[in-house]
Amino acid sequence: MNKSEATASRLSLSNRALGLSAPGTSSMRSKANALKESGVKVINFAAGELSFDACQDMRTGAIEAIENARNRYTPPIGLPALREKLAQRVSQRTGVTFAANEVAVTAGAKQALYNACMVLLNPGDEVIVPSPYWETFPTQIRLAGATPVLVPTRDDDYRLTLEAVQGALSERTRMIVINTPNNPTGTVYQRQQLLAIAQLAFERGLWVMFDECYRGLVREPHEHHNILALFPALKAQTVLIDSFSKSQAVTGWRVGYACAPAPVIAAMHNLQGHTTSNPSSLSQYAALNTLNADSTQFADQVNPFLQRQLHAARTYLDRLEGIRYAPPEGAFYLYIDIASRLGGYYRGQPIRDVDHLADLLLTEAHIAVVPGSGCGDPHCIRISYAVEYQELIEGLSRFAQFMSAIVMD
Ligand SMILES: Cc1ncc(COP(=O)(O)O)c(C=O)c1O
């Protein structure tokens, strides 16, 4: 062992870092990229973003911000004008009044979620997380020292029910996470379900972390419901999480926000002030410009596109025997149950598990998908249908061929 290796082995990583693994989507992305670099045409169904260029109002706002030299720090949790505008907008759409000091602008919704976990959770606290889950939820809860309590939703059309929450409650429960429209399943929570959970959270004095980042992306005839619009009295116990990433096709710009009681936002201000400081000033001006423009043009373009894509995708999937999927009501994901093919053989190779199936889909059919293992689910894969139409058709026909070639014993 040389000197630097000896030093490295003495100075090991923190327990916190040792408990972290790379996001499942990033490992699939790097495998897919490696294959692409070797000249293979890979269809990427694993991305969590629209294939559209950024919404025009975001682009105009960012360009103007550059031209007007908006280069300096802003307050850590955002421009006062943006917080004010967001408060107005959230008040309008929920019917519950929010003030600017109840809004924090963050580097994407991910930072809003992380900061909320860090300022609300203590070691020993339990947080109810519907499973399958977007893997950042349990990871951030653990980073805050708390424990995610994973509640299966597969038998309830992938939505958390009141009974399931009641079954998971303990003396230590401090928070419930709800994400609708849902990643990874694409389901949208129904009014009655949300209302029932809101009532329970209210009575038990629990926090609700309500992630509605995909709220603008809903398939007809479904409707997104905001938990506070249904149950305004829960305001003092709710953190609303939203983002510009998905709905405006600006995942890389990193701008999202949280709405919560003022003391929670003040604590998030302190945390953000000592960690990242403000989200990019350019992205904030872009967001402000988009809110001021108040145009539905982008959503009017994206949603019909997604509706057509989903229709096309379903015609492929519905022909495959034994393949079911979660009700695809929102976001842009199809969450496909492939349990009937596990244990089968592809060209003589036994398919061990969902990760192996995802690997074979990549190496044999050249399609990148997200295996459910990263979402706590060994039965499913997630595909995004927000890709170019030709890619969708080609990828799904490869998928159908692959699935049909699996031989069961
Ligand atoms: C449910 C959910 N919440 C939050 C995020 C994070 O979004 P942002 O890009 O705004 O950080 C994602 C991203 O995939 C998501 O799926």
Side-chain angles (χ1 to χ4, degrees):
M1 193 184 287
N2 67 31
K3 201 171 162 213
S4 71
E5 282 168 350
T7 309
S9 74
R10 255 188 300 115
L11 301 177
S12 61
L13 294 172
S14 69
N15 292 341
R16 193 182 308 109
L18 293 171
L20 271 178
S21 51
T25 43
S26 75
S27 79
M28 184 47 79
R29 197 180 307 133
S30 34
K31 283 185 204 166
N33 284 343
L35 201 59
K36 263 188 201 162
E37 274 160 27
S38 71
V40 173
K41 184 177 175 214
V42 176
I43 300 214
N44 186 6
F45 284 157
E49 55 197 351
L50 292 172
S51 54
F52 281 64
D53 197 356
C55 152
Q56 185 58 50
D57 295 321
M58 292 292 291
R59 282 153 54 186
T60 309
I63 290 166
E64 280 175 10
I66 293 174
E67 283 171 351
N68 293 330
R70 304 291 191 191
N71 307 320
R72 309 279 174 238
Y73 289 126
T74 74
I77 52 172
L79 293 162
L82 178 56
R83 294 174 69 199
E84 186 65 53
K85 194 78 201 174
L86 284 166
Q88 267 175 29
R89 278 308 164 77
V90 177
S91 306
Q92 276 164 7
R93 71 179 169 82
T94 60
V96 175
T97 307
F98 280 88
N101 68 351
E102 295 171 308
V103 179
V105 185
T106 53
K110 221 174 221 183
Q111 187 179 32
L113 289 160
Y114 178 73
N115 288 357
C117 284
M118 295 305 273
V119 306
L120 293 176
L121 301 176
N122 283 314
D125 288 343
E126 290 181 357
V127 181
I128 292 180
V129 179
S131 174
Y133 46 76
W134 176 51
E135 64 181 336
T136 292
F137 290 130
T139 305
Q140 292 189 344
I141 292 163
R142 287 192 192 99
L143 281 170
T147 305
V149 176
L150 307 173
V151 179
T153 58
R154 189 172 187 234
D155 294 338
D156 299 305
D157 263 347
Y158 297 100
R159 286 179 279 244
L160 189 64
T161 62
L162 174 66
E163 295 70 30
V165 177
Q166 281 166 333
L169 282 176
S170 84
E171 288 295 297
R172 297 179 161 214
T173 310
R174 182 156 167 86
M175 181 186 274
I176 304 172
V177 172
I178 299 177
N179 166 221
T180 180
N182 189 269
N183 176 14
T185 67
T187 52
V188 172
Y189 275 63
Q190 291 159 355
R191 170 192 286 269
Q192 286 311 323
Q193 286 172 325
L194 285 178
L195 204 49
I197 296 171
Q199 178 84 45
L200 176 89
F202 183 70
E203 283 161 11
R204 303 282 293 237
L206 303 174
W207 284 105
V208 172
M209 184 91 92
F210 191 78
D211 179 335
E212 53 180 357
C213 287
Y214 296 89
R215 71 183 169 81
L217 303 172
V218 179
R219 303 293 82 74
E220 284 170 6
H222 305 284
E223 220 185 308
H224 170 69
H225 298 288
N226 175 286
I227 198 160
L228 290 183
L230 298 176
F231 198 98
L234 200 64
K235 183 184 171 197
Q237 294 165 228
T238 302
V239 184
L240 292 183
I241 303 285
D242 193 17
S243 173
F244 291 81
S245 288
K246 312 285 176 177
S247 54
Q248 314 299 320
V250 288
T251 42
W253 294 26
R254 313 311 300 133
V255 58
Y257 62 97
C259 296
V264 177
I265 296 295
M268 289 174 75
H269 167 274
N270 296 345
L271 179 61
Q272 199 157 310
H274 288 297
T275 50
T276 59
S277 292
N278 60 276
S280 155
S281 58
L282 306 182
S283 302
Q284 289 190 67
Y285 280 101
L288 185 57
N289 189 57
T290 301
L291 293 170
N292 284 334
D294 197 13
S295 161
T296 59
Q297 208 182 345
F298 193 66
D300 293 346
Q301 198 188 345
V302 169
N303 279 310
F305 164 78
L306 291 177
Q307 198 90 28
R308 289 192 298 274
Q309 296 278 106
L310 175 60
H311 180 73
R314 292 181 82 162
T315 56
Y316 276 86
L317 295 182
D318 291 347
R319 280 190 228 128
L320 289 172
E321 211 178 303
I323 296 292
R324 295 179 302 126
Y325 46 89
E329 300 163 341
F332 36 71
Y333 302 122
L334 271 158
Y335 194 64
I336 306 171
D337 191 326
I338 43 80
S340 65
R341 300 298 199 279
L342 298 179
Y345 292 80
Y346 179 79
R347 297 194 175 154
Q349 274 194 75
I351 300 177
R352 293 188 302 273
D353 56 26
V354 74
D355 288 316
H356 188 209
L357 186 123
D359 278 344
L360 286 173
L361 275 170
L362 183 62
T363 54
E364 304 292 322
H366 305 150
I367 319 166
V369 303
V370 175
S373 50
C375 319
D377 183 351
H379 307 111
C380 293
I381 56 168
R382 187 196 80 181
I383 70 168
S384 160
Y385 52 88
V387 297
E388 304 280 335
Y389 179 74
Q390 286 312 331
E391 296 227 318
L392 181 73
I393 298 305
E394 188 177 337
L396 282 169
S397 82
R398 290 186 201 175
F399 179 74
Q401 266 175 22
F402 179 92
M403 286 294 162
S404 308
I406 296 176
V407 180
M408 302 308 293
D409 264 344

